[in-house]
Amino acid sequence: KMVLVKTLAEGLGFYYDKNGNAAVGEVGGYDMLITNADKGSLYYLNISVTKGEKPTKADFEGIKEYNKYLKTIGVNKKNYRVVFTLGGAFTKDGTVKRFQEILPALARFLQDRGFQNCSEISGVTQGVSTYFAQGVKIITKSEYAEIERGIQEKQDKIALRGSSSILLGTVGALLGAVVAGAVVLGISQLGYVSWFGGVVMGGLVMGGYKVFAGRIKKIGIIISAIIMLAAMYLINRLDWALMIQRYFTPDMFGMEGTKLSLSFTFKNVVAIVETANLQADYFRNLGLQLFFTFICGLVTSIGVVQWDKNSFLAYPIGEEKQDVQDAGLPYTDSFGDSEE
């Protein structure tokens, strides 16, 4: 997906932002940013515009007359951002050519309807640029500075915790392991070993560490990995202990009573499965649990680490405007001949 957006940015002459996986540029005085949707070659084309108030879907009636692909529109009622969902062409070059037609058409529509480029947060039309600030945003320099201050204040608070943040993170990871463990155990009790358990374990353990510690550094990754693998070992053992308790009786072990205690079965799982000649099944199940945790948990953990990294990044994408004129001036086609 990153390659698709990067190729599109290069073809359009836009800036490419790796952290947000976004192509960012200006067409006809309007800031436009393009990201890739989760499904195949779908793209999200984002703008932030105003006519003195937040835009509505009704404001975009007739836009298909400017370009047939501008038809799936999403309007966020909480801010000024408008999102178009667009399909790519069969080839990369075809997709670039399609966007070279779509973007000028959209700019012409916006100008014809009296829209101005604006901050997606406040609707302010002066000094608007595109920034990476806890995600890619079309905002003013002062709004960016406010977000940047918030990030710095958060970093300062984490720094003041010192080594205690590691302890807090460990507590968060353990709590995440308990919740994830309950999910994995529930799946196992149904007779399944699923990759989903590894995803849940990785996400909740790493997420728990981040929430409690504030940041995830190398020591946090190591601690979380140990907790994930240890938790999976204990969950597998508990799963088998419950199974033994369900199907084995005390008299099989020369004991009295009608039901084996969970503490006894948990403590003696390995010995019991060996006696019952089930050790191959036990260790195969354990191996699968650890494998799914390692692979799927690793993938999920990478996502959490990237989320952590991005939450502390703040920088302008492309040229940062100090005091720009409102959009709505005579339109210049960035991909072809000029027109008034």
Side-chain angles (χ1 to χ4, degrees):
K1 287 188 280 188
M2 295 182 72
V3 173
L4 292 174
V5 178
K6 186 176 182 181
T7 300
L8 186 58
E10 292 170 351
L12 296 173
F14 278 17
Y15 294 97
Y16 174 69
D17 181 70
K18 181 179 179 180
N19 293 303
N21 188 31
V24 175
E26 183 180 314
V27 180
Y30 299 94
D31 288 301
M32 299 186 183
L33 67 93
I34 304 165
T35 58
N36 195 217
D38 293 332
K39 297 181 179 179
S41 60
L42 286 177
Y43 296 86
Y44 295 131
L45 169 59
N46 299 260
I47 58 172
S48 180
V49 293
T50 184
K51 289 196 291 186
E53 57 187 10
K54 292 184 176 69
T56 65
K57 279 192 175 183
D59 292 327
F60 293 88
E61 289 181 3
I63 194 171
K64 285 191 291 184
E65 296 175 9
Y66 286 74
N67 187 281
K68 64 182 180 179
Y69 296 109
L70 293 169
K71 55 185 179 180
T72 307
I73 306 168
V75 176
N76 192 329
K77 295 180 180 180
K78 295 181 180 180
N79 57 40
Y80 292 81
R81 184 177 282 209
V82 179
V83 183
F84 298 88
T85 303
L86 304 166
F90 290 111
T91 65
K92 293 178 182 178
D93 290 342
T95 298
V96 171
K97 185 177 180 181
R98 179 173 294 181
F99 272 87
Q100 287 176 339
E101 297 171 355
I102 291 172
L103 302 186
L106 174 58
R108 284 192 291 271
F109 172 85
L110 295 173
Q111 288 191 343
D112 290 348
R113 296 299 175 91
F115 280 105
Q116 293 179 305
N117 190 58
C118 73
S119 160
E120 65 182 73
I121 295 175
S122 62
V124 171
T125 58
Q126 296 289 327
V128 178
S129 304
T130 305
Y131 298 88
F132 188 95
Q134 297 175 332
V136 183
K137 294 180 172 67
I138 301 171
I139 53 178
T140 65
K141 188 172 183 178
S142 61
E143 290 164 345
Y144 164 71
E146 185 176 346
I147 294 173
E148 194 175 30
R149 279 194 299 272
I151 291 173
Q152 187 59 53
E153 288 173 2
K154 188 175 180 180
Q155 287 179 320
D156 293 341
K157 287 180 182 178
I158 294 170
L160 286 173
R161 294 178 188 172
S163 58
S164 65
S165 64
I166 297 175
L167 177 60
L168 290 170
T170 302
V171 171
L174 288 170
L175 290 174
V178 170
V179 176
V183 174
V184 175
L185 182 61
I187 296 172
S188 296
Q189 285 290 291
L190 294 173
Y192 299 101
V193 178
S194 173
W195 57 267
F196 180 70
V199 173
V200 172
M201 183 63 71
L204 289 180
V205 171
M206 294 290 287
Y209 189 97
K210 172 176 168 52
V211 169
F212 277 68
R215 290 224 65 175
I216 300 176
K217 296 185 178 180
K218 288 182 179 178
I219 185 65
I221 295 172
I222 293 170
I223 290 171
S224 296
I226 293 171
I227 289 174
M228 277 189 274
L229 294 175
M232 274 302 191
Y233 170 78
L234 293 173
I235 291 164
N236 182 71
R237 193 179 181 100
L238 179 57
D239 179 38
W240 276 80
L242 289 168
M243 186 271 290
I244 292 168
Q245 188 185 40
R246 196 158 51 238
Y247 295 108
F248 288 67
T249 57
D251 61 282
M252 294 178 178
F253 305 94
M255 301 168 62
E256 297 181 353
T258 58
K259 187 176 183 180
L260 291 169
S261 68
L262 184 58
S263 60
F264 172 82
T265 57
F266 184 82
K267 182 180 178 180
N268 297 282
V269 163
V270 177
I272 295 172
V273 296
E274 287 179 355
T275 301
N277 200 30
L278 293 171
Q279 63 267 40
D281 293 325
Y282 171 80
F283 286 109
R284 182 171 59 250
N285 196 74
L286 175 60
L288 285 172
Q289 293 280 28
L290 294 177
F291 174 78
F292 283 134
T293 300
F294 179 77
I295 299 298
C296 299
L298 178 64
V299 172
T300 306
S301 298
I302 290 172
V304 175
V305 170
Q306 187 63 42
W307 163 52
D308 172 70
K309 174 188 172 185
N310 288 350
S311 66
F312 289 90
L313 290 177
Y315 53 86
I317 304 173
E319 183 180 352
E320 188 176 25
K321 303 181 188 70
Q322 302 295 325
D323 184 17
V324 297
Q325 290 182 306
D326 290 340
L329 301 175
Y331 172 71
T332 300
D333 189 334
S334 302
F335 307 113
D337 298 329
S338 298
E339 60 183 70
E340 298 296 319

